[in-house]
Amino acid sequence: MTDAVALITLDRPSAHNALTVSMLQQLAAAFDDARRNDHVRAIVITGAGDRAFSAGGDLGELIPRLSAGELEILIPDPAKRFFSDVFIPVIAAVNGLCLAGGLEMLLGTDIRIASERAIFGLPEVRWGLIPGGGTHIRLPQQVPWAIAMQLLLTGDHIDATQALRVGLINEVVPPESVLERALDVARGVTRNAPLAVRTAKEIAVRALGNEPRFALENSLNERVLRSADAVEGPRAFIEKRTPSYAWEETERSIP
């Protein structure tokens, strides 16, 4: 930590910083420590290496546990999502892939600096899942509806140029400048009056009133996680084959 800025790094570069249960626990603890530290006036979050911010949840470890009914690992409180009760400003330094849970995490940040090579997407529906970390609520609040639906329903990716154009990120910089630019922005935040800054963010976050919306997403996500498709999709991804989906909901709706 320098200049009242806490730097939190997702440190699993060999796996594109894919999120494991341990990483989620450490991430929550790091943010809790920063929130309790009166000297921390801004937080920068980034991914280790130059290839990824985060490619999302680990499909071999985290996702099977969620499908087995352990959703509380990812969402301990159904009414909260990534950083939704953190009123310290959070700046993201996106240095590559920002997919699935990585993008869900990004949506909980306040200011976003991205590499020219950054890629953003929500591939969950391709693998029998949905992004249950607040994305169905936050994404349509932050970008135009059609862009949100494109990302949610197709699994397609967008590049940094389009992400900037639709307002998903604030700046695009050369890869080697991402972290330093994010730290510069954070230092600028710390030069402002701390009570005013935290209060401004708290008002903006609380005025959205997202808690009931998050709880709705949590409830419906459990339906998806309990499906056979939520098992088949990640398994097919790991086995590098095309998934075979059961279409359970469609079959049950036919008289």
Side-chain angles (χ1 to χ4, degrees), residues 218-254:
N218 194 74
S219 176
L220 294 180
N221 188 24
E222 289 184 355
R223 179 177 68 186
V224 175
L225 288 171
R226 287 196 302 267
S227 71
D229 289 348
V231 175
E232 165 64 9
R235 182 179 295 160
F237 178 86
I238 292 169
E239 296 173 358
K240 298 181 179 180
R241 60 176 173 81
T242 301
S244 177
Y245 292 129
W247 299 108
E248 294 177 353
E249 288 295 317
T250 301
E251 291 174 3
R252 282 200 295 265
S253 67
I254 299 174

Side-chain angles (χ1 to χ4, degrees), residues 103-154:
L103 181 52
E104 297 200 278
M105 195 178 301
L106 185 78
L107 296 175
T109 67
D110 305 302
I111 300 172
R112 302 146 191 181
I113 311 300
S115 160
E116 294 167 339
R117 296 201 292 258
I119 297 293
F120 304 85
L122 296 165
E124 282 90 340
V125 291
R126 295 182 177 180
W127 307 111
L129 304 166
I130 62 170
T135 292
H136 301 88
I137 292 85
R138 283 172 160 169
L139 190 60
Q141 290 173 342
Q142 298 180 21
V143 303
W145 177 265
I147 300 299
M149 291 301 102
Q150 176 188 356
L151 290 170
L152 281 166
L153 303 180
T154 69

Side-chain angles (χ1 to χ4, degrees), residues 41-141:
R41 293 165 61 179
I43 299 170
V44 171
I45 182 168
T46 193
D50 59 3
R51 295 188 300 164
F53 176 73
S54 174
D58 187 295
L59 287 175
E61 189 241 29
L62 175 62
I63 302 304
R65 291 185 65 176
L66 297 181
S67 299
E70 297 183 66
L71 186 56
E72 68 277 359
I73 293 172
L74 180 64
I75 306 171
D77 184 340
K80 294 180 181 178
R81 293 298 187 271
F82 285 114
F83 325 139
S84 61
D85 56 355
V86 176
F87 300 133
I88 302 169
V90 182
I91 295 90
V94 183
N95 44 338
L97 297 175
C98 185
L99 307 175
L103 181 52
E104 297 200 278
M105 195 178 301
L106 185 78
L107 296 175
T109 67
D110 305 302
I111 300 172
R112 302 146 191 181
I113 311 300
S115 160
E116 294 167 339
R117 296 201 292 258
I119 297 293
F120 304 85
L122 296 165
E124 282 90 340
V125 291
R126 295 182 177 180
W127 307 111
L129 304 166
I130 62 170
T135 292
H136 301 88
I137 292 85
R138 283 172 160 169
L139 190 60
Q141 290 173 342

